Amino acid sequence: MKSMLKDAAVLLVITLFAGLILGFVYQITKQPIAMAEEKAAKEAYAEVFPAAADFEKLELAMPEDSAWVEEWSNAGFKGVEIVNTLEAKDNAGEKLGYVLTVTSHEGYGGDITFTMGISADGTINGISILNISETAGLGMKAEAVLKPQFANKKVQGFTYTKTGATSDSQIDAISGATITTNAVTTAVNGGLYYFQTQLGGSSYEAE
């Protein structure tokens, strides 16, 4: 009995000590990690909206009313989340467009998060991937294969193809990574839809 109590006491001390160490390490690393994430985000904003001199975060969030949730889901964006919205401004403080941070919860390896810049006329300047954990050699090619295809496009929405894109609204899929391609393409379309329905953005109309 005494042996059991002694072992329990030793285990308790070890657990408390380990907890204190983890807490101490967390406090030390919390600020550097937050600063690194902020720096990466600012670089991503500048990448997708290079013409902007400043970015102002807007207090906008995904609407929570049931009608909007149903509309968003029916539009095909149930697995897409708009994380935050920033207004891109020029040196005079005039609005140039928006930068959205978008997350797809439909990636093969988990969430895929990226920023996308949209000019006031509805043109996508580009996307910048912040977080992705897809399969090496397949879905991880999103940076090299998918990302460039969205730049400087003004379309209502995108579809992907495995036989070669023939228009601005088509994206060449990553070979062997349809799930990743679909996740990114759908999330970009979700960002466009949010821009058009919640931000008063221009909706592309074919000439």
Side-chain angles (χ1 to χ4, degrees), residues 56-116:
E56 179 183 344
K57 188 173 182 179
L58 303 179
E59 295 301 323
L60 292 174
M62 295 282 288
E64 296 181 356
D65 62 275
S66 58
W68 164 257
V69 171
E70 183 177 359
E71 177 186 340
W72 183 254
S73 180
N74 289 340
F77 307 125
K78 185 177 181 179
V80 178
E81 179 183 357
I82 308 300
V83 179
N84 62 45
T85 305
L86 297 97
E87 192 172 272
K89 298 183 176 182
D90 63 15
N91 285 314
E94 295 296 320
K95 181 177 69 177
L96 299 175
Y98 298 92
V99 172
L100 307 179
T101 300
V102 187
T103 293
S104 169
H105 300 298
E106 304 294 335
Y108 184 81
D111 289 351
I112 300 173
T113 300
F114 59 86
T115 58
M116 60 185 292

Side-chain angles (χ1 to χ4, degrees), residues 15 20 25 34 59 88 120 122 129 147 149 153 180 195-196 205:
T15 302
L20 288 172
V25 171
E59 295 301 323
I129 298 175
K147 176 180 171 180
Q149 298 187 69
K153 299 289 183 66
T180 303
F195 167 74
Q196 293 160 1
E205 296 182 3

